[in-house]
Amino acid sequence: MDAAVLHARLSDWFDDAARDLPWRLPSRTPWGVLVSEFMLQQTPVSRVLPVWEDWMSRWPAPADLAAAPAGEALRHWGRLGYPRRALRLHAAATAVVVHHGGNVPNSYAELLALPGVGTYTAAAVAAFAFGRRETVVDTNIRRVHARLVGGAALPAPALTAAEMKRAATLLPDDGPASVRWNVAVMELGALVCTARTPSCEQCPVLDRCAWVAAGKPAPTYVPKGQSWAGTDRQVRGAIMHVLRHTDSPVPRPLIRERPVDLAHGTPAAFEKLYGLHAPLEQLERALNGLLADGLAEETPRGLQLPA
C-alpha cells in the first residue's frame, strides 16, 4: 500500500471535513489539549464540549485548577461519567505546578509521568499540543487501520503490539505531517468509518480499503456493550449527582431512603436517586465505593465531595 497516497488523500479530506473543535484551534493551549484528552476518554465530543468550555473558563491554566479543592473538580465534571478522571486531572494539574512551573511538559516521558496520564494520552498531548511525532492510537484510529490495512471489520478486542507496529509504520516521517495524519485518521473513524454503520461511500480512501476489497467480512467477535440500568455504576452516578448539587453535607440516611417529611418537594437530584429504587445493600456498596475511591468523604455532618 502506498502510504504517501493515504497521507495526501486524508490530509485533503481533513481540510474540508474536520470539525471545528476548540482544542484544535490555533489559540489552543497545551493545558486545553490535556483537559480535552482526559474528558474525551470513553465520552463523545457532544457531551465534552460544554464541560470543557466551562472548565477552561473557570481554570484556564493548571495552577488555577490546582488551587481549587478537588471537590470542585468533581462538582464541575457534570455528567461526563467516570468521575475519577476529574480527580486525576486535578492531581495532574498539581503535579504540573509542583514539578514543571505551571507549564504542561512537552515530552512524552514527562507527560507519561503525570497522574492519570497513560500511553495514549501522553502521545496525544505531545502530538496535538506540541507537534511532536508520536504514534497516537485510539479506538477510532485502531478501527480505521484494521479496515484500511488489515482487512478486518474491527480491531482486536484489546490493543496488540502488532497494531502499534502497524500504526508506527503508517506514520509520516515529517513531524507536522505525522500530527495531521493522526488527527485525520481519528476524524475519519469518528465521522465516516464508524463502528456500526460506516459511510463507505464518503471515504476518501475507499478504493484503497482492504476490508472493502475483501467484501466487508463480518466481525469475528461481537463487542460487549456496557450495561447501565440497575448497575452499581448507575447508583454511584446518582449519589454523585446529589453531592454535586448540594451545598452542605448530606446525612447518610438521606442517601439510603426517602424521608417522609421530604416526600413532597424533594430536590431533583434526590428524586433521581430515589427513583432508582436501589436496594439498601446496593446503595451502601455504591456509597462505600465512592468513599474508598476518594470521590466522596464522610464528616460528622454527613457526606460531601472531597475538600
Side-chain angles (χ1 to χ4, degrees), residues 122-273:
V125 174
F128 302 145
F130 299 106
R132 295 192 175 275
R133 184 181 183 274
E134 296 287 350
T135 304
V136 179
V137 181
D138 76 339
T139 301
N140 286 317
I141 290 177
R142 292 183 64 211
R143 185 169 58 254
V144 172
H145 287 177
R147 290 173 179 168
L148 183 60
V149 182
L154 295 174
L159 181 64
T160 66
E163 284 181 276
M164 290 300 298
K165 182 178 179 180
R166 179 169 62 196
T169 301
L170 289 169
L171 196 66
D173 294 330
D174 176 69
S178 70
V179 174
R180 191 166 182 78
W181 167 255
N182 281 326
V183 72
V185 176
M186 189 180 294
E187 195 77 336
L188 187 71
L191 301 181
V192 176
C193 195
T194 57
R196 295 185 179 180
T197 55
S199 303
C200 294
E201 68 283 356
Q202 299 177 20
C203 180
V205 288
L206 175 62
D207 62 325
R208 302 293 177 117
C209 181
W211 181 56
V212 171
K216 297 184 179 180
T220 56
Y221 68 96
V222 177
K224 293 182 179 179
Q226 291 187 327
S227 59
W228 173 252
T231 64
D232 285 5
R233 281 185 58 227
Q234 186 185 32
V235 177
R236 282 166 59 106
I239 296 173
M240 286 297 296
H241 188 64
V242 167
L243 299 183
R244 283 198 304 270
H245 289 83
T246 51
D247 298 325
S248 59
V250 178
R252 187 181 279 253
L254 283 185
I255 297 291
R256 298 174 61 174
E257 62 181 330
R258 180 198 300 267
V260 174
D261 59 348
L262 288 181
H264 300 286
T266 305
F270 283 95
E271 288 290 3
K272 179 179 178 181
L273 174 62

